Amino acid sequence: MLELKKAAFDYAGKEILTDMSVTLAPGTFHFLTGPSGSGKTTFLKLCYQDLIPSSGTLHIFGKDVRAMDRDDVASVRQRIGVVHQDCQFLDHLTMSENILLPLQVTGHEVASKLRDMQELMVWTGLSDQMELLPPVLSGGERQRAALARAVIMSPELIIADEPTGNLDWDMAQRMLTLLIELNKMGKTILIATHDMNLIRMAKNQVAARVLRIRQRHLELAGAEL
Amino acid sequence: MIGRFGAILTGDRQADRVVPPTGYTANLTAFTAAAMAFLSVFALALSLATDRLATRWSEELAQTATVRISAPDGQLSRQAEAVMRILDTTPGIRSARMMTNEEQLKLLEPWFGPDLPLDTLPIPRLIEVVESGDGPDMAGLRLRLAAEAPGAVLDDHSRWRKPLISAASRLRALGVFSILLILGSTAAMITLAAQSALAANAQVITVVRLIGARDAYIVRAFVRRFTLRALFGALFGTVLAMLSIYFLPSAADEGAFLTGLGFQGWHWVLPVVVPVIAAVLAFWATRIAAFRVLRRMA
Ligand SMILES: Nc1ncnc2c1ncn2[C@@H]1O[C@H](COP(=O)(O)OP(=O)(O)OP(=O)(O)O)[C@@H](O)[C@H]1O
Ligand SMILES: [Mg+2]
């Protein structure tokens, strides 16, 4: 599904990540932790091809990211649902339109997914916010909506960047439950988070692995969690 | 191709909302298209009118000639008769007709006013000649006229017809050239407007790309907008121009010679292609500009 070999990344010469070799097999559940500024978001951006490794190789769905043109990138992104750290909504569209946007822009039938969307809105507690514009929502509401948008296409891989950063514990648990359900349906999950409680709770329910970024290296965290 | 245009006209409104409305560039594009359509309809009318003029001058006048006889009073009618006799026996001439006093008066009226005492002025007699086939042997005819009616001068109109025809064709070429210039600047302006619209929507483009939109989808959203704007703007400009031309004072009586600028007969249908061309132009200009900008934004 996702395979890095000796991959490194630097922003204009400033090396953030180096010598990363890791494989995310289909259907696995991974967390990604590390101090603030360690490069978690950068790593996720590599995964959904917002960035390209400066050295080493990265294969997504069996394809080398370096060999892809823009249409290939678009097709890959259609198979990945992403909760961005800064959410990335279109501020002139309502929340329901934003959540349906991935279907819209990829030419899928929207009407058949309206029920899915309503269920998602109920699950994420956003039923009352459906017709509001993104800027008026609270940070937590935006994160929940971003998760709804990430899963509407029923993607094979779901990547979430601090999806519970602005949520209270109850809501964080709800979101985690949703992700675990999706994982049980066969989706591959990758979540960047600082929240050790969240990781512990997940480990009680699924076989989650934890990747940690430490001094620019990506390593598999051991039993100490 | 047709299908693609069809999709643009019917395309779903929801997809259209993905790119936020930009009232300002929208209005500018529509205005530009309207102004350009207005101008091209006039250029078209000009080209068609000069085309008619050139055709008339070259076809109708090519078949006619005039013989002018100036002679002292006593000899005028004798020479006129001699000329008529010669013309009647020359091959290549269908008819020859001496103009009446009234007709000559009418010709002179615009220059000297209505109450011209024709009898007291030494005015030459005019004979109107209509040719047939390839016309007479002009050089031979001149020689015979010089021998029998020294006061007769044969004018086959070619002296003033040629420069007029070439002026008319030049004018027509200028009209066509203006239309090409108008098309070119319309394409240029729509390209600029599309580029600025894309730049203004960089954030939207980033977001839809992150969720898997292909360039073609983004391009379509912009192309649809600009094509529709150009179409309706140009439609408005065309209708306005056609109305102005329709209500142009008619030049039919006083200057039939100059023929009116207006459209005639089925030519009224021609301006209808102007909005269509504007739409096609906008379609391609936006499409090309958008793909280029997106390639750069990647
Ligand atoms: N576009 C950029 N150009 C240069 N440096 C950047 C850029 N984006 C991020 N960085 C730097 O890269 C480092 C890693 O950033 P990143 O956003 O990946 O961290 P993070 O682990 O996600 O942090 P946080 O937990 O606070 O979200 C930071 O030091 C950041 O300043
Ligand atoms: Mg981050």
Side-chain angles (χ1 to χ4, degrees):
Chain A
M1 174 133 302
L2 200 110
E3 187 180 25
L4 288 102
K5 275 196 194 127
K6 297 209 168 292
F9 182 80
D10 57 77
Y11 284 113
K14 181 183 160 215
E15 193 161 66
I16 306 293
L17 298 164
T18 186
D19 196 20
M20 298 182 293
S21 296
V22 70
T23 303
L24 303 195
T28 54
F29 199 118
H30 282 88
F31 284 102
L32 176 66
T33 65
S36 178
S38 59
K40 297 185 294 296
T41 299
T42 304
F43 179 81
L44 297 186
K45 282 184 175 170
L46 290 170
C47 295
Y48 58 83
Q49 291 172 286
D50 207 14
L51 300 172
I52 297 287
S54 29
S55 66
T57 61
L58 168 55
H59 285 79
I60 297 177
F61 303 126
K63 286 182 218 123
D64 184 351
V65 296
R66 267 183 238 285
M68 292 185 191
D69 61 20
R70 285 198 306 289
D71 278 353
D72 293 333
V73 170
S75 318
V76 164
R77 285 183 181 164
Q78 290 171 19
R79 299 165 70 182
I80 305 177
V82 182
V83 180
H84 303 272
Q85 195 164 13
D86 43 4
C87 294
Q88 305 274 16
F89 292 115
L90 294 186
D91 288 346
H92 64 285
L93 298 182
T94 64
M95 288 322 297
S96 57
E97 285 172 321
N98 264 293
I99 288 168
L100 293 170
L101 202 57
L103 299 163
Q104 185 78 58
V105 303
T106 53
H108 284 78
E109 242 250 270
V110 171
S112 64
K113 290 279 190 167
L114 286 177
R115 275 195 64 80
D116 287 6
M117 185 200 55
Q118 266 147 7
E119 268 173 34
L120 273 170
M121 292 303 242
V122 172
W123 184 265
T124 52
L126 290 171
S127 308
D128 295 339
Q129 278 77 24
M130 273 172 60
E131 298 312 313
L132 295 180
L133 296 179
V136 305
L137 265 64
S138 75
E141 286 167 341
R142 287 164 64 88
Q143 272 182 331
R144 286 180 268 153
L147 182 58
R149 187 184 68 182
V151 303
I152 192 79
M153 288 268 277
S154 189
E156 294 156 61
L157 171 62
I158 296 163
I159 293 175
D161 198 351
E162 309 271 6
T164 59
N166 290 311
L167 302 183
D168 58 54
W169 180 237
D170 269 359
M171 197 44 91
Q173 278 179 300
R174 254 178 109 83
M175 294 306 105
L176 182 65
T177 309
L178 178 60
L179 288 167
I180 289 172
E181 287 298 320
L182 288 164
N183 179 242
K184 284 181 178 156
M185 288 163 60
K187 315 289 184 198
T188 312
I189 313 281
L190 174 59
I191 304 172
T193 184
H194 287 121
D195 191 344
M196 291 304 149
N197 288 328
L198 194 74
I199 296 176
R200 260 178 234 118
M201 197 190 118
K203 284 196 140 195
N204 289 332
Q205 299 175 56
V206 290
R209 288 207 304 172
V210 179
L211 302 168
R212 180 190 288 152
I213 300 173
R214 180 182 280 171
Q215 279 149 16
R216 304 192 327 239
H217 288 271
L218 189 68
E219 54 187 38
L220 203 58
E224 79 262 30
L225 282 162
Chain B
M1 188 69 197
I2 299 286
R4 217 159 7 167
F5 276 114
I8 279 188
L9 295 178
T10 56
D12 65 317
R13 270 184 37 73
Q14 195 55 42
D16 219 20
R17 295 215 341 113
V18 171
V19 179
T22 45
Y24 189 59
T25 39
N27 295 342
L28 279 183
T29 312
F31 171 76
T32 304
M36 292 303 181
F38 191 89
L39 293 176
S40 33
V41 170
F42 269 101
L44 189 65
L46 177 72
S47 302
L48 290 172
T50 46
D51 192 43
R52 281 199 299 272
L53 211 56
T55 312
R56 247 178 67 184
W57 284 343
S58 55
E59 279 176 10
E60 295 178 12
L61 296 181
Q63 292 288 304
T64 65
T66 315
V67 178
R68 193 179 70 233
I69 309 155
S70 347
D73 246 359
Q75 294 179 30
L76 195 58
S77 48
R78 196 189 56 73
Q79 287 204 14
E81 276 161 34
V83 170
M84 286 303 280
R85 214 168 40 244
I86 294 170
L87 291 175
D88 282 344
T89 57
T90 306
I93 288 181
R94 180 179 299 147
S95 66
R97 191 178 63 84
M98 188 131 31
M99 282 197 179
T100 63
N101 275 353
E102 288 73 45
E103 282 174 316
Q104 290 197 233
L105 212 56
K106 210 167 161 116
L107 280 180
L108 292 171
E109 201 183 88
W111 312 99
F112 295 108
D115 300 317
L116 191 66
L118 196 60
D119 312 338
T120 64
L121 286 173
I123 290 191
R125 282 241 75 95
L126 290 179
I127 295 171
E128 197 181 83
V129 179
V130 178
E131 302 165 9
S132 66
D134 289 340
D137 163 22
M138 288 293 176
L141 184 57
R142 279 208 178 87
L143 284 176
R144 286 181 67 195
L145 286 174
E148 298 198 29
V153 177
L154 174 66
D155 178 3
D156 63 0
H157 299 163
S158 62
R159 195 164 30 87
W160 59 272
R161 202 178 70 218
K162 282 212 182 88
L164 276 181
I165 291 170
S166 76
S169 344
R170 187 69 62 83
L171 209 55
R172 182 183 49 191
L174 279 178
V176 171
F177 186 60
S178 315
I179 292 177
L180 291 179
L181 281 183
I182 292 168
L183 291 181
S185 34
T186 307
M189 277 189 244
I190 290 176
T191 301
L192 289 177
Q195 273 174 351
S196 87
L198 274 126
N201 285 296
Q203 183 55 31
V204 170
I205 291 169
T206 306
V207 171
V208 295
R209 271 186 165 168
L210 278 176
I211 57 179
R214 282 163 199 268
D215 284 2
Y217 173 84
I218 302 167
V219 167
R220 217 157 38 230
F222 285 92
V223 163
R224 182 175 140 74
R225 262 166 203 233
F226 281 93
T227 305
L228 289 179
R229 278 174 208 161
L231 177 65
F232 289 116
L235 208 58
F236 181 75
T238 301
V239 169
L240 210 63
M242 285 172 78
L243 286 177
S244 337
I245 289 177
Y246 184 75
F247 289 113
L248 219 56
S250 161
D253 295 335
E254 291 73 16
F257 172 71
L258 280 172
T259 168
L261 181 62
F263 295 101
Q264 283 177 8
W266 71 271
H267 282 170
W268 278 104
V269 180
L270 281 181
V272 173
V273 303
V274 168
V276 176
I277 292 177
V280 173
L281 212 60
F283 177 90
W284 283 109
T286 314
R287 205 177 140 81
I288 294 168
F291 271 117
R292 207 175 36 227
V293 171
L294 287 179
R295 211 161 32 240
R296 224 172 29 220
M297 273 186 185

